[in-house]
Amino acid sequence: MGLPENPNIFANNPLDRASYRRTDPEWIAQQLAEPTSLFVPLWKLRPLILPEEQEGSGKDVGWLRTAVIEELGGDAATTVFLGINRRGKALFAVDISHLKDPENDGPLKGLGAFEELREIAMAGELPPTELAILAQAKSMIDWHARHGFCSVCGSESAISEAGYKRVCPTCQAEHFPRTDPVVIMLPVFGDKCFVGRQKIWPKGMYSALAGFVEPGESIEEAVAREVDEEAGIKVDRVSYHSTQPWPYPSSLMIGCIAHAASEDYEIDGVELAGGRWFTREEVQAIFAGKGDGTAWFPPPFAIAHQLIKAFAEG
């Protein structure tokens, strides 16, 4: 029996990550040389995206064969094993940021474009499963780009375990990819929910509250602390909704409902520039495009949308 489908973009990764294969260098080498293995190149953290073959057909991820990657200088590029797809093929992400202009020069000339993942996701131009794989690829390549040197002694570290570890040859310290937990929550009281807004957001946009989980803090404690700090709302109870992998650079958004003790609130003026309570009927009207025009919520791309939608649906 499989897991229930997660409603959030970048979730529902279909790959078998086959983590037990990462410590088998011979198997990894075989897959890297296998002609049917697939590689997605990322240039400055942007994946290769192929254009629509015909109007309305949608775009595709630029999965490349081994031979093309070798032409791109695969030996010099950071390469990470992503997993095995349902057809039994090994998938990899490869960083080709060392190339000057791969869109217009070399074997990829005219093939496609290197596009920003957030924009692709917001436009709904790729299947959710492909977006989830690209989120994994982007986070891993970004981690390697940021952690090329040992944080213990400062020496340059080396990639190990198919990209899921870096080892310092000087002091032997081992370094592993990290995911930063972030709580994102919708305070509710009775038939009302509270949403806030920041100064830099577009006019009229309101969203859920959010903040990083601090060391030694539980999810519930982080929710209560952030809601109190930002909006002065006291929380009695916290319930879980869903999570969203967020590859900017590598966070996990933990969606929660924060059950408030009252409607009292006080905006901090730092994290939030404003906030207000909406009734369920008002939220439903906004989703239906029948609001008064003074407020709107994030699109389905964001987990905040799913939290507010869940409240609207009761």
Side-chain angles (χ1 to χ4, degrees):
M1 183 175 178
L3 294 173
E5 185 172 347
N6 189 307
N8 300 307
I9 298 297
F10 301 135
N12 307 304
N13 191 321
L15 298 183
D16 173 3
R17 297 195 179 215
S19 58
Y20 63 96
R21 291 292 194 182
R22 299 170 189 168
T23 56
D24 185 349
E26 290 186 8
W27 186 88
I28 293 295
Q30 290 173 356
Q31 301 310 308
L32 287 170
E34 173 60 49
T36 60
S37 292
L38 298 174
F39 300 76
V40 58
L42 286 86
W43 183 68
K44 298 184 177 180
L45 301 180
R46 298 184 176 195
L48 176 65
I49 303 298
L50 306 182
E52 295 180 328
E53 293 186 1
Q54 57 186 14
E55 188 175 350
S57 65
K59 296 182 178 181
D60 290 313
V61 178
W63 292 107
L64 306 177
R65 300 289 186 179
T66 305
V68 180
I69 294 300
E70 290 175 348
E71 288 186 60
L72 293 170
D75 291 341
T78 297
T79 302
V80 176
F81 172 60
L82 300 176
I84 302 171
N85 68 12
R86 291 169 182 168
R87 296 186 297 276
K89 295 181 179 180
L91 273 58
F92 295 86
V94 56
D95 184 10
I96 61 169
S97 300
H98 61 283
L99 299 178
K100 184 177 180 180
D101 187 10
E103 284 186 13
N104 300 299
D105 187 36
L108 302 184
K109 181 179 179 180
L111 183 62
F114 290 90
E115 301 189 24
E116 217 293 313
L117 183 57
R118 187 194 304 260
E119 296 174 2
I120 302 168
M122 291 185 68
E125 296 176 324
L126 287 175
T129 51
E130 293 286 83
L131 290 173
I133 296 172
L134 292 182
Q136 177 190 0
K138 180 182 181 299
S139 288
M140 291 300 300
I141 294 298
D142 197 352
W143 180 74
H144 283 287
R146 294 168 181 264
H147 296 81
F149 295 86
C150 177
S151 59
V152 178
C153 72
S155 298
E156 186 173 0
S157 58
I159 295 177
S160 180
E161 295 190 4
Y164 288 81
K165 182 167 77 173
R166 296 189 72 94
V167 178
C168 176
T170 302
C171 71
Q172 308 306 312
E174 297 179 339
H175 307 279
F176 299 89
R178 290 290 184 264
T179 295
D180 297 319
V182 178
V183 288
I184 179 166
M185 49 276 167
L186 185 71
V188 300
F189 183 78
D191 69 342
K192 295 181 179 181
C193 72
F194 184 90
V195 286
R197 58 173 283 101
Q198 298 181 6
K199 291 180 180 179
I200 62 173
W201 288 355
K203 183 178 180 180
M205 176 179 163
Y206 287 82
S207 187
L209 312 186
F212 285 97
V213 179
E214 296 185 350
E217 187 174 46
S218 70
I219 292 172
E220 293 83 357
E221 290 166 345
V223 167
R225 175 182 55 78
E226 287 287 346
V227 171
D228 188 18
E229 289 177 354
E230 296 182 6
I233 296 173
K234 304 301 180 184
V235 173
D236 278 343
R237 181 168 57 89
V238 175
S239 56
Y240 166 80
H241 178 269
S242 63
T243 56
Q244 180 181 41
W246 191 248
Y248 301 97
S250 187
S251 294
L252 180 66
M253 308 295 289
I254 305 167
C256 297
I257 303 299
H259 301 270
S262 72
E263 291 183 38
D264 296 338
Y265 72 94
E266 183 178 353
I267 300 301
D268 70 342
V270 179
E271 292 289 338
L272 296 182
R276 54 181 284 197
W277 289 98
F278 285 83
T279 66
R280 182 170 282 107
E281 289 72 21
E282 289 173 325
V283 172
Q284 292 170 342
I286 291 172
F287 276 129
K290 299 178 181 179
D292 61 10
T294 64
W296 56 282
F297 304 130
F301 163 78
I303 187 174
H305 174 99
Q306 304 301 334
L307 291 173
I308 301 170
K309 178 183 176 184
F311 168 79
E313 295 174 347

